[in-house]
Amino acid sequence: MLLEGKRGLIVGVANKRSIAWAIAQAAHREGAKLAFTYQGERLKESVSELSATLGGASPLFECDVTNDAQIDATFQGLKEVFGTLDFLIHAVAFAKKEELEAEFLITSREGYRLALDVSSYSLTALAQRAVPFMTDGGSIVALTYYGAEKVIPRYNVMGVAKAALEASVRYLAFDLGPKKVRVNALSSGPVQTLAARGISGFTDMMKHVESRAPLRRNVLIEEVANAAVFLLSPLSSGITGETLYVDCGYNIVGM
Ligand code: 0WE
């Protein structure tokens, strides 16, 4: 029970295939008490049904991460139900579909702004409000992807957003270290989620990783979730500002 008695907020569950949901299940298995956010009425039922399967009613908050008032309301609600907080999972990203299909060159000002607002700035916006509740230290984990670092065709503006997210993790880790709040990024290999399914050529990408990765396979969502538990738990007490790759070794290969 690596997370026994700990309370956490999970941001980014959309459906049963979400990486955020796999992390929630693993954290629950390790004894954590969880609260969830959902983005808009559209996802309320899905998140509510999933969280109900964990037994006991998990607190749910509507939270569009581009809306400061909704983020404020989420933490106001958390203050009432939890009082204090031990961890936060950030697993949200969005870019316009048309900007993930063409060249990076065509990225619009509005598409760039939206992708960075949802996928990068939101971590800082959430951390600002979470930290006052992390009175006994804490752990913040953000999901990222290798496209932050190397060009992955069609990842485009999301790659720029994830690069900003990874840099934000380092700057937040620096600021929050004295408060004993750790901040890390978890760089998952490709996983078939709702966010991935809309992407043309995703199946071929998975085949490519399978043939090149040292472990000769794609990562399992449960492996990503277990690594997240590690980063949330005292087992990783000396690690902050880090990007941990959980990608079957794909990122270490040069040729
Ligand atoms: O971060 C992601 C996915 C992020 C994502 C996905 C979508 C699809 C639907 C952000 N915005 C949207 N907007 C939509 O309208 N991944 C790591 C998965 C992913 O997405 C890719 C990938 C991989 C891998 C896009 C292009 C190329 C590779």
Side-chain angles (χ1 to χ4, degrees):
M1 295 287 262
L2 288 166
L3 303 177
E4 187 147 35
K6 291 196 189 288
R7 300 172 211 276
L9 176 66
I10 314 261
V11 180
V13 177
N15 62 27
K16 65 176 200 284
R17 289 199 177 80
S18 298
I19 295 177
W21 176 239
I23 295 172
Q25 290 174 94
H28 172 76
R29 178 193 77 211
E30 298 298 332
K33 282 197 174 67
L34 302 172
F36 297 87
T37 66
Y38 57 90
Q39 189 229 359
E41 286 301 311
R42 193 173 56 94
L43 293 172
K44 182 176 188 172
E45 196 174 294
S46 167
V47 177
S48 161
E49 284 175 11
L50 287 170
S51 67
T53 67
L54 298 180
S58 302
L60 302 187
F61 304 98
E62 177 169 8
C63 187
D64 169 347
V65 296
T66 67
N67 184 328
D68 284 334
Q70 286 188 16
I71 303 177
D72 285 337
T74 296
F75 284 95
Q76 195 56 47
L78 267 183
K79 185 182 185 170
E80 281 153 32
V81 294
F82 275 1
T84 64
L85 194 67
D86 300 291
F87 64 83
L88 168 69
I89 295 289
H90 178 282
V92 285
F94 184 77
K96 293 182 180 181
K97 194 164 166 50
E98 61 266 30
E99 299 193 345
L100 296 176
E101 286 174 341
E103 293 180 324
F104 176 69
L105 181 66
I106 60 99
T107 306
S108 65
R109 189 180 300 276
E110 172 55 20
Y112 190 105
R113 190 203 60 73
L114 178 65
L116 271 91
D117 192 5
V118 176
S119 318
S120 314
Y121 179 71
S122 60
L123 176 67
T124 300
L126 288 162
Q128 277 169 9
R129 277 100 170 164
V131 167
F133 297 106
M134 294 180 161
T135 52
D136 190 27
S139 176
I140 299 176
V141 173
L143 270 291
T144 186
Y145 177 61
Y146 191 48
E149 192 182 318
K150 291 286 194 282
V151 171
I152 303 294
R154 298 191 300 274
Y155 199 58
N156 298 351
V157 71
M158 269 310 307
V160 175
K162 290 298 195 187
L165 180 74
E166 291 179 14
S168 303
V169 162
R170 291 186 287 272
Y171 280 91
L172 290 169
F174 180 82
D175 287 352
L176 300 178
K179 298 197 162 93
K180 304 197 183 336
V181 175
R182 299 183 295 109
V183 189
N184 292 289
L186 194 171
S187 188
S188 171
V191 172
Q192 288 274 9
T193 63
L194 178 67
R197 240 181 320 150
I199 291 144
S200 60
F202 196 79
T203 308
D204 291 338
M205 268 190 46
M206 303 264 300
K207 284 197 192 116
H208 177 85
V209 170
E210 203 175 289
S211 70
R212 306 288 170 92
L215 294 180
R216 298 291 192 275
R217 61 177 178 84
N218 280 286
V219 75
L220 302 171
I221 197 166
E222 293 84 359
E223 296 174 312
V224 176
N226 285 335
V229 166
F230 164 71
L231 290 175
L232 298 178
S233 82
L235 288 181
S236 61
S237 55
I239 303 175
T240 195
E242 189 64 275
T243 299
L244 178 64
Y245 288 86
V246 185
D247 65 348
C248 296
Y250 184 81
N251 78 94
I252 67 159
V253 178
M255 245 190 96

